[in-house]
Amino acid sequence: MATSPCSSSGVSSSSSSGFSIDTGLEIKTKSVEQTLVPLVAQITTLINHKEKPKKSEKTLLAIQRVGQAVNQAVARFVTVGETIGNENRELKEEMNFACSEARRAGEAIAQLTDMNIGERPDFDGRVTVFTDKTGVVKAARLLLSSVTKVLVLADRIVVKQIIISRNKVLATMEHLEKVNSFQEFVQIFSQFGNEMVEFAHLTGDRQNDLKNEKKKASMAAARAVLEKCTMMLLTASKTCLRHPDCESARMNKEGVFQRMRQALEQVIEIVTDSRPNGESELTLISIYTGIKEFKNKVEGLRDNLYYLSKENVSTMLEVILEHTEDFTDSAYTSHENRERILELSNQAKMELEQLVSVWMQAQTLKTKDSFEDLELAILKMCQCITELKRETCRLLRHVSGTEPLEITCIHAEDTFQVTGPQIVSAAETLALHPTSKIAKENLDVFCEAWESQLSDMSILLREINDVFEGRRGEKRAYLSLPRPGKYNANLKTLKPVKLDVEVFAAAGLKFSSILHAFSNQLEDDDKPLLLLEIEKLIPLSQQLQITARMPVQGKSPTFTKVDACIQKAKAVMVILSQVLPVCWKLLRKCKASNGCFRTPPSWKENRLQSITNEDGVDGKSVEAFGVKSLEHHVANLTFLESN
């Protein structure tokens, strides 16, 4: 048996017996594809049974059982499909027709595989049968096509749910944008938060289900914008309400709303596979990839003078040179580099003209001299285009290596370009209202968004580096609120223990005191860097304690509280990830110089020693900073987020 259950444009199966199925329907999601795989396997089993007219009773029973199993499974499947159709009027007619076709095909397969065992036994105990194989193939094609149609129609329900959820979010955003009082804003923002959680779940499931890696990367980028902009929207709106006459505050808020609307529209374009005004999807190509393909084509002329047209080569070079405008138009490209890129672009055009001329001569003359001239022209062309790559391939997306990573690079570039001016407008607002706590909070949020994007950028760089070194590391999971129990399969190594968030906050405060004690042992030049991080850690841990102790009632408030605890705990972990390398460097520096430690008062020395002994940690390890007690709670935090 040989099966090929799925193709990029539809579902197909083929075998050595000549059986093939192509539904003609595009399968966009893994769930639809995986649902069809066992059905294709069973149908192919029926088609591929041995062609001998005589079969044993055991073989006949097996074939009959498969046919009956297919029919019964289709009957159950059709019942579900008809229910979906009845609940969605716009799909009812199409769904009922597809279900009717599937039921008819399932019944036909059951009849065609009913071998009537025992009616014509031969002397050797075998039965002579004349299976209508053509009929089975016809019924199988109809069955697979109709079942695929039902699944695709059902998938449209998921798309509809996402669109409805998006519309609710947009409507609430319009109300948020127009409110004039804090009380009204708080009420509407609470509703907005619930709607965003629902939208995050729906789009997260869809992102994981998409087959197309480019669309999956685009969906991840859009969802990341929505997740980060939600907090920005809160603080920007509060600042605007507090300072209604401040132009910079208004511009700051409008920028957030506009970015969220664009992200929402991007999600809908992905799930509906449509572009505004009927635009076709742009084909992404990096200069690195374009030059690599161009060189391969040109060097291929050595083996075959006719496999490529001169128009094809010219078009490839034109596309590459068009992309150099990303660099010549960039404000970050020096004048010298810009001139060099333009010079190499003109040289590449001339080298191509020379190559085409020599190439055409080689096709006509086919002499040793003509082939030597062609070899020289190929070398010059490749040398020129390689040099162009070394000047130009300095933008990350042009060296990303894969289309999904290129999309992520473009998203990162857009985020930096948008966040920069927003930080400026938030800072202008604070400058105009220096005593405003809300304006300061707003600026902090935008600065944290910038830092978060830098962190994402470092991960992206590692992924790109993995591609170039030939290893594809594990892809970063998108951090959104998972549905209860859905992703627990990924956490088998974690024991389901009860998490006490106050304990986590207390550990953070304890760690802060340890850092204080450690900082007191340092010279003045080394202190500020550490104290800066401590000042961030203490209020966050205190906020986490307050949030955890806050009593709530009802499902939605509880969910909001848990989410707030998770976000604050994540913020604590971000600080830890920054402060631990600093501590480690300071410790190594102290050991190397033996002179950066102060001579501390005895009680401080005793205190630091008692803490170290209390944790049972070797002073040669980073665990001397009290991190050991946090490890357990970090694992539990992950478990909490999964639930």
Side-chain angles (χ1 to χ4, degrees):
M1 179 182 70
T3 62
S4 176
C6 304
S7 67
S8 60
S9 60
V11 175
S12 63
S13 178
S14 61
S15 71
S16 58
S17 62
F19 168 63
S20 66
I21 296 176
D22 188 353
T23 65
L25 296 170
E26 183 180 2
I27 307 300
K28 300 177 183 178
T29 58
K30 297 175 185 175
S31 56
V32 172
E33 182 178 88
Q34 291 167 0
T35 302
L36 289 168
V37 169
L39 178 61
V40 172
Q42 285 186 320
I43 291 175
T44 309
T45 298
L46 292 176
I47 303 301
N48 287 351
H49 67 73
K50 294 180 180 180
E51 303 294 332
K52 295 179 181 179
K54 288 189 177 183
K55 295 179 171 41
S56 67
E57 185 174 335
K58 183 179 180 181
T59 302
L60 293 175
L61 282 171
I63 294 172
Q64 187 168 336
R65 280 197 300 270
V66 172
Q68 291 173 349
V70 168
N71 185 35
Q72 291 169 2
V74 168
R76 292 191 297 269
F77 175 81
V78 163
T79 302
V80 176
E82 289 172 338
T83 302
I84 294 173
N86 292 332
E87 293 174 352
N88 298 270
R89 292 185 177 182
E90 71 276 13
L91 299 178
K92 185 174 182 180
E93 184 176 349
E94 285 184 274
M95 183 67 83
N96 286 345
F97 178 77
C99 288
S100 175
E101 291 283 280
R103 180 181 282 111
R104 182 162 62 89
E107 292 172 351
I109 286 177
Q111 292 174 1
L112 289 167
T113 54
D114 185 357
M115 301 303 182
N116 297 317
I117 298 169
E119 290 188 1
R120 296 184 298 279
D122 290 345
F123 67 92
D124 59 357
R126 293 177 176 267
V127 180
T128 302
V129 295
F130 303 95
T131 306
D132 183 3
K133 185 165 184 177
T134 303
V136 174
V137 171
K138 184 177 180 181
R141 285 176 175 158
L142 176 61
L143 175 61
L144 192 59
S145 176
S146 55
V147 167
T148 304
K149 181 69 172 177
V150 171
L151 290 169
V152 170
L153 288 171
D155 188 64
R156 279 162 56 180
I157 305 299
V158 178
V159 174
K160 177 184 173 183
Q161 289 175 337
I162 294 175
I163 293 173
I164 292 173
S165 179
R166 186 280 308 257
N167 291 341
K168 288 195 297 185
V169 170
L170 275 178
T172 307
M173 280 178 61
E174 289 182 9
H175 292 152
L176 278 174
E177 206 166 8
K178 296 175 182 176
V179 297
N180 295 315
S181 69
F182 273 104
Q183 184 178 2
E184 185 182 5
F185 175 81
V186 170
Q187 292 174 348
I188 298 176
F189 191 83
S190 177
Q191 176 188 343
F192 173 75
N194 293 333
E195 291 169 353
M196 283 298 294
V197 168
E198 178 191 7
F199 189 73
H201 285 318
L202 291 172
T203 54
D205 291 344
R206 189 67 177 182
Q207 176 186 323
N208 293 330
D209 200 22
L210 287 171
K211 287 175 58 183
N212 188 301
E213 291 296 329
K214 288 169 58 179
K215 290 182 179 178
K216 186 178 290 189
S218 297
M219 179 74 87
R223 294 180 71 236
V225 169
L226 292 172
E227 183 174 293
K228 292 177 181 178
C229 280
T230 300
M231 179 56 72
M232 297 179 192
L233 185 144
L234 172 62
T235 57
S237 298
K238 285 166 59 180
T239 304
C240 216
L241 287 170
R242 179 66 181 86
H243 307 289
D245 299 326
C246 183
E247 179 65 16
S248 58
R250 183 188 62 79
M251 291 175 59
N252 185 258
K253 186 184 84 167
E254 287 179 354
V256 177
F257 275 92
Q258 180 182 1
R259 187 146 170 76
M260 289 196 75
R261 287 192 177 98
Q262 290 173 345
L264 288 167
E265 189 60 35
Q266 183 178 342
V267 169
I268 299 306
E269 289 175 14
I270 295 167
V271 298
T272 60
D273 204 20
S274 62
R275 309 273 308 169
N277 304 320
E279 299 174 7
S280 59
E281 184 180 0
L282 295 175
T283 302
L284 297 170
I285 181 171
S286 65
I287 289 184
Y288 179 87
T289 303
I291 289 178
K292 182 179 178 181
E293 292 178 358
F294 179 81
K295 284 183 64 178
N296 288 339
K297 296 288 187 183
V298 170
E299 290 174 341
L301 293 174
R302 295 184 176 115
D303 302 321
N304 189 339
L305 295 175
Y306 302 95
Y307 88 109
L308 196 63
S309 69
K310 61 180 181 180
E311 292 79 13
N312 192 320
V313 177
S314 299
T315 301
M316 290 179 72
L317 182 62
E318 285 176 11
V319 172
I320 292 170
L321 297 182
E322 283 177 9
H323 280 74
T324 62
E325 294 175 4
D326 290 341
F327 302 89
T328 55
D329 295 345
S330 173
Y332 302 100
T333 302
S334 67
H335 176 72
E336 293 77 10
N337 277 347
R338 184 179 291 107
E339 291 298 317
R340 180 61 176 156
I341 291 170
L342 293 174
E343 178 186 337
L344 287 169
S345 297
N346 292 329
Q347 183 182 341
K349 292 177 184 177
M350 291 188 292
E351 295 292 356
L352 181 61
E353 289 179 4
Q354 178 65 19
L355 173 64
V356 170
S357 175
V358 174
W359 175 18
M360 295 299 107
Q361 289 180 8
Q363 287 182 344
T364 305
L365 301 176
K366 298 181 180 178
T367 62
K368 181 180 179 182
D369 289 343
S370 64
F371 284 118
E372 288 178 352
D373 291 342
L374 176 62
E375 177 64 22
L376 181 61
I378 290 173
L379 290 173
K380 286 185 176 180
M381 183 75 254
C382 290
Q383 181 181 0
C384 178
I385 206 72
T386 300
E387 183 61 25
L388 181 64
K389 180 178 71 173
R390 192 160 44 240
E391 288 295 327
T392 55
C393 283
R394 294 185 178 181
L395 289 182
L396 189 61
R397 65 187 175 93
H398 280 296
V399 293
S400 54
T402 67
E403 286 185 328
L405 287 176
E406 184 179 348
I407 290 171
T408 307
C409 289
I410 293 172
H411 159 68
E413 181 182 341
D414 292 342
T415 301
F416 281 123
Q417 289 178 347
V418 172
T419 308
Q422 286 181 318
I423 290 176
V424 173
S425 60
E428 288 175 348
T429 304
L430 181 59
L432 292 170
H433 307 278
T435 60
S436 173
K437 292 183 179 179
I438 291 178
K440 184 180 185 304
E441 178 191 16
N442 186 47
L443 178 59
D444 289 342
V445 166
F446 280 95
C447 290
E448 287 169 6
W450 182 273
E451 291 176 359
S452 173
Q453 190 59 40
L454 287 174
S455 176
D456 291 346
M457 199 71 179
S458 66
I459 295 172
L460 178 59
L461 287 169
R462 286 199 297 271
E463 291 179 352
I464 292 173
N465 188 59
D466 286 345
V467 170
F468 277 93
E469 292 186 356
R471 64 176 191 273
R472 300 296 297 272
E474 293 184 3
K475 292 189 176 179
R476 188 165 45 113
Y478 183 81
L479 296 178
S480 187
L481 294 174
R483 288 183 175 175
K486 180 151 188 174
Y487 303 105
N488 285 356
N490 297 328
L491 301 171
K492 292 179 180 177
T493 56
L494 296 177
K495 295 182 180 179
V497 295
K498 182 180 178 182
L499 173 66
D500 190 342
V501 182
E502 294 167 9
V503 174
F504 186 88
L509 291 171
K510 178 182 177 182
F511 183 57
S512 300
S513 66
I514 294 172
L515 289 178
H516 261 300
F518 179 67
S519 67
N520 288 330
Q521 314 303 311
L522 301 174
E523 295 292 343
D524 291 339
D525 292 343
D526 297 310
K527 257 189 177 184
L529 192 62
L530 197 57
L531 290 175
L532 184 65
E533 300 299 332
I534 297 172
E535 288 174 2
K536 297 178 184 177
L537 183 59
I538 293 175
L540 268 175
S541 300
Q542 291 171 341
Q543 290 172 19
L544 182 57
Q545 276 189 328
I546 294 170
T547 304
R549 290 171 180 169
M550 188 184 303
V552 293
Q553 292 182 346
K555 182 178 179 181
S556 180
T558 301
F559 194 78
T560 304
K561 174 183 173 180
V562 171
D563 183 40
C565 288
I566 290 172
Q567 297 306 323
K568 284 180 170 51
K570 281 183 181 177
V572 171
M573 298 310 300
V574 169
I575 293 177
L576 289 179
S577 67
Q578 295 170 347
V579 77
L580 288 178
V582 173
C583 292
W584 181 241
K585 288 178 182 177
L586 289 173
L587 184 62
R588 291 179 63 185
K589 178 182 176 182
C590 293
K591 287 183 176 181
S593 63
N594 290 324
C596 73
F597 279 125
R598 287 181 171 182
T599 303
S602 58
W603 70 268
K604 291 182 180 178
E605 183 178 358
N606 293 336
R607 172 61 181 155
L608 184 60
Q609 184 62 41
S610 66
I611 291 172
T612 305
N613 293 337
E614 184 182 73
D615 290 337
V617 178
D618 185 354
K620 296 181 180 179
S621 168
V622 181
E623 304 303 341
F625 302 123
V627 183
K628 187 71 175 179
S629 60
L630 290 176
E631 284 188 349
H632 176 70
H633 302 296
V634 173
N636 290 344
L637 171 64
T638 308
F639 179 74
L640 171 65
E641 185 175 3
S642 73
N643 286 280

